[in-house]
Structures are given as C-alpha cells and as structure tokens.
Amino acid sequence: MTITSAERNRAGCLTVSGDLKNDGASTAVVPAELRGNELDVLRTGPSLGGATVVDFAQRKRYYVLRDTDGRPLTTTGLSTLKVGESVHVFMQFPAPPTSTTTVGFQLPLFGTANIKISG
C-alpha cells in the first residue's frame, strides 16, 4: 500500500488516501484482517476498517469513523486483486489537533508509516 495523501478538512476529519496494489505473481486475496475485529465493522463486509492513526505527541489513537449504521467510512468491497491491479483507497478519521502535523498510520498486517498531514 502506498499513501498518497493525508488531508485535514474544515469539518474536523482526516482523510488518508492511497493505492493498494498487487505486485505478486498471482491473484491476491485481500486479507480479512484489514477490516479489523469490531463487530459492527465485521457485519459490513470487506473494508479497511481496521486502520488507525496515532498522534504520538498527544498519545492518542484515532479509529476509522463510522456512519449512523456502523459502516466504516473507508473503501469497502475489497476481495481480490489481479496481478498488477491497483485500487485507490481511502479511510476517514477524526482529525487530530491542528498542532499535529505528523501521525503514525497503522493498518493490520502492515508496519507503521509516519505520514504528514496537509490542510
């Protein structure tokens, strides 16, 4: 996964966008672990609902926002990626304070990536 942007908006949300690509030699099944293990999110099917951002300075973790029906505000419906296939993805979080300009992005099965926030 490659992060392409992390933008804070005026409504108080942080949207992290990127591309999930299959660089392998065969069709890849998108791991179920990426959706996290919260019961509300599990019911919504494949997603990136397990993503979090961490404000290390404030010692606070932010989880993917949910709509009023408990569905994660993130790319959903991910199941497989063909060889060389890439899909644009997004995840929306509560925005950390404006004084926070860098956060740690965490997605199950991936290492933590430090990303800069714009906006």
Side-chain angles (χ1 to χ4, degrees), residues 12-91:
C13 296
L14 172 67
T15 302
V16 176
S17 300
D19 296 301
L20 188 61
K21 184 177 181 184
N22 178 5
D23 287 329
S26 61
T27 298
V29 175
V30 177
E33 290 87 352
L34 299 185
R35 68 180 174 203
N37 58 9
E38 293 180 45
L39 293 179
D40 282 343
V41 175
L42 290 175
R43 287 189 291 242
T44 64
S47 74
L48 300 177
T52 60
V53 292
V54 179
D55 180 345
F56 294 110
Q58 301 292 322
R59 296 183 180 174
K60 188 167 183 181
R61 178 182 308 273
Y62 297 91
Y63 294 86
V64 170
L65 289 168
R66 311 294 193 261
D67 69 12
T68 55
D69 293 323
R71 293 181 300 246
L73 297 181
T74 181
T75 302
T76 60
L78 300 169
S79 58
T80 61
L81 292 173
K82 297 175 186 169
V83 174
E85 184 179 10
S86 180
V87 62
H88 187 70
V89 297
F90 80 95
M91 294 133 284

Side-chain angles (χ1 to χ4, degrees), residues 83-118:
V83 174
E85 184 179 10
S86 180
V87 62
H88 187 70
V89 297
F90 80 95
M91 294 133 284
Q92 200 164 46
F93 304 90
T98 55
S99 60
T100 299
T101 58
T102 302
V103 292
F105 173 77
Q106 298 177 329
L107 187 63
L109 305 177
F110 290 83
T112 300
N114 289 324
I115 57 175
K116 288 201 167 282
I117 298 173
S118 62

